[in-house]
Amino acid sequence: MSKAAFARRAVEIAMTEGPRGLASRTTTFLRWRILALLEANERTRPLYYRLFDSTSYWEQRYADSRDSGPGSRGGHRQFKADFLNTFVDENEVETVLEFGCGDGVQIELAEYPSYIGLEISESAIQECSERFATDETKSFFLYDPPYFVNRGALEAELVLSLEVVFHLVDDATFEKTMHDMFEASSKYVIIFSSNHNEPTPELHVRHRRFTDYVEDEFPNFDLVEKIENEYENRVSDFYVYEKQMG
Ligand SMILES: C[S@@+](CC[C@H](N)C(=O)[O-])C[C@H]1O[C@@H](n2cnc3c(N)ncnc32)[C@H](O)[C@@H]1O
């Protein structure tokens, strides 16, 4: 962006959002610039991982009327829904709990008897509550990983995580979310994600080899199936875990 365009944008924001809005946007911009610099260098990258605030990123994104992303649009959205609806039907799953339901566009295609969606973004929860205002089978709750203490109150036969794991940038949030997911499942966990370690210049994306973590931390779950994505330009595949009974 040229200096002139930059100044024009600043004036535009000041006119529409006032001086406070401009100050807040400037702070956000500077924070992103610093994080990008930290990310670009291998030595400082761990600091970026620790400092990146996923909740602020997603909340701002949904508050700005942006959506969950291209993964829950068009044919790819249908591909995800077809696999999950067939799985739920064939395995007679009654209860589904999703960590990171987003704006709810993907869930519009879900055919589940009973569904709970958890989200870190208040605006996304608001959107889901409006989108499914008359749907008695779907409930939504705000999810705040450090303050989520679930001792069996929330449990489902199938726990879902769809294109969320590669957004868990900091290690503490990744570990807490994985524990909350597996501990809430009475039978299956399905993760739809990439599965290799790779930093990316997109600050809200960090690819992780999560299957090693699952193997170490949740030995009572077996990886029973991996379904490759039909869309070559997408990074996620389905990983189906089943809890050992007895
Ligand atoms: C790419 S969107 C996917 C949304 C939805 N699962 C879908 O497939 O359409 C990623 C979502 O993960 C949510 N998210 C980020 N960190 C999370 C966490 N620690 N736990 C649960 N959800 C999280 C974001 O707010 C965002 O809505």
Side-chain angles (χ1 to χ4, degrees):
M1 202 187 261
S2 71
K3 276 186 188 162
F6 200 76
R8 268 200 305 278
R9 180 77 186 118
V11 172
E12 211 175 277
I13 293 171
M15 300 291 278
T16 51
E17 299 179 26
R20 275 190 176 198
L22 180 61
S24 151
R25 295 245 180 197
T26 307
T27 309
T28 307
F29 174 78
L30 289 175
R31 200 166 55 221
W32 276 78
R33 286 300 294 248
I34 292 166
L35 285 172
L37 289 173
L38 293 174
E39 194 280 335
N41 186 311
E42 208 172 315
R43 276 192 316 129
T44 54
R45 195 169 294 139
L47 192 54
Y48 138 69
Y49 288 148
R50 259 197 295 142
L51 295 178
F52 183 78
D53 180 355
S54 294
T55 304
S56 301
Y57 168 80
W58 285 100
E59 176 50 28
Q60 189 61 55
R61 178 168 166 149
Y62 289 121
D64 285 346
S65 303
R66 293 174 59 209
D67 59 25
S68 287
S72 35
R73 297 287 176 273
H76 191 255
R77 171 184 180 230
Q78 192 66 53
F79 162 72
K80 284 157 80 183
D82 288 346
F83 172 76
L84 293 167
N85 287 337
T86 304
F87 184 91
V88 165
D89 183 42
E90 284 179 354
N91 293 284
E92 298 177 356
V93 170
E94 290 292 328
T95 49
V96 178
L97 171 63
E98 181 175 15
F99 282 73
C101 58
D103 57 16
V105 169
Q106 181 66 51
I107 316 153
E108 280 179 330
L109 300 181
E111 294 160 10
Y112 312 146
S114 167
Y115 170 90
I116 295 174
L118 303 181
E119 240 303 324
I120 56 166
S121 157
E122 290 175 21
S123 296
I125 292 285
Q126 177 69 30
E127 209 173 324
C128 288
S129 77
E130 287 163 17
R131 195 184 292 282
F132 301 103
T134 57
D135 187 337
E136 300 277 312
T137 66
K138 294 183 178 64
S139 305
F140 299 93
F141 298 95
L142 194 61
Y143 173 58
D144 192 355
Y147 303 102
F148 182 83
V149 183
N150 180 21
R151 304 218 169 92
L154 268 188
E155 193 185 64
E157 287 166 321
L158 171 60
V159 168
L160 294 179
S161 166
L162 310 176
E163 297 182 288
V164 171
V165 168
F166 55 79
H167 290 304
L168 305 177
V169 172
D170 76 287
D171 293 330
T173 303
F174 165 74
E175 289 172 19
K176 180 64 167 62
T177 305
M178 294 295 280
H179 271 270
D180 289 342
M181 282 163 42
F182 279 82
E183 284 161 16
S185 166
S186 63
K187 206 161 183 190
Y188 303 107
V189 175
I190 296 183
I191 297 177
F192 185 60
S193 180
S194 57
N195 187 36
H196 63 280
N197 291 323
E198 188 197 353
T200 80
E202 282 184 287
L203 295 181
H204 65 305
V205 179
R206 175 187 179 185
H207 296 294
R208 288 178 180 272
R209 189 166 164 83
F210 71 87
T211 49
D212 291 347
Y213 186 81
V214 175
E215 220 175 295
D216 289 347
E217 292 290 313
F218 314 109
N220 56 333
F221 278 86
D222 297 318
L223 177 60
V224 290
E225 212 178 347
K226 178 188 168 191
I227 292 90
E228 306 271 339
N229 200 323
E230 286 175 0
Y231 288 75
E232 278 177 16
N233 61 338
R234 300 297 306 168
V235 292
S236 298
D237 299 308
F238 281 110
Y239 294 81
V240 181
Y241 289 92
E242 185 169 1
K243 196 171 188 173
Q244 295 158 9
M245 293 301 160

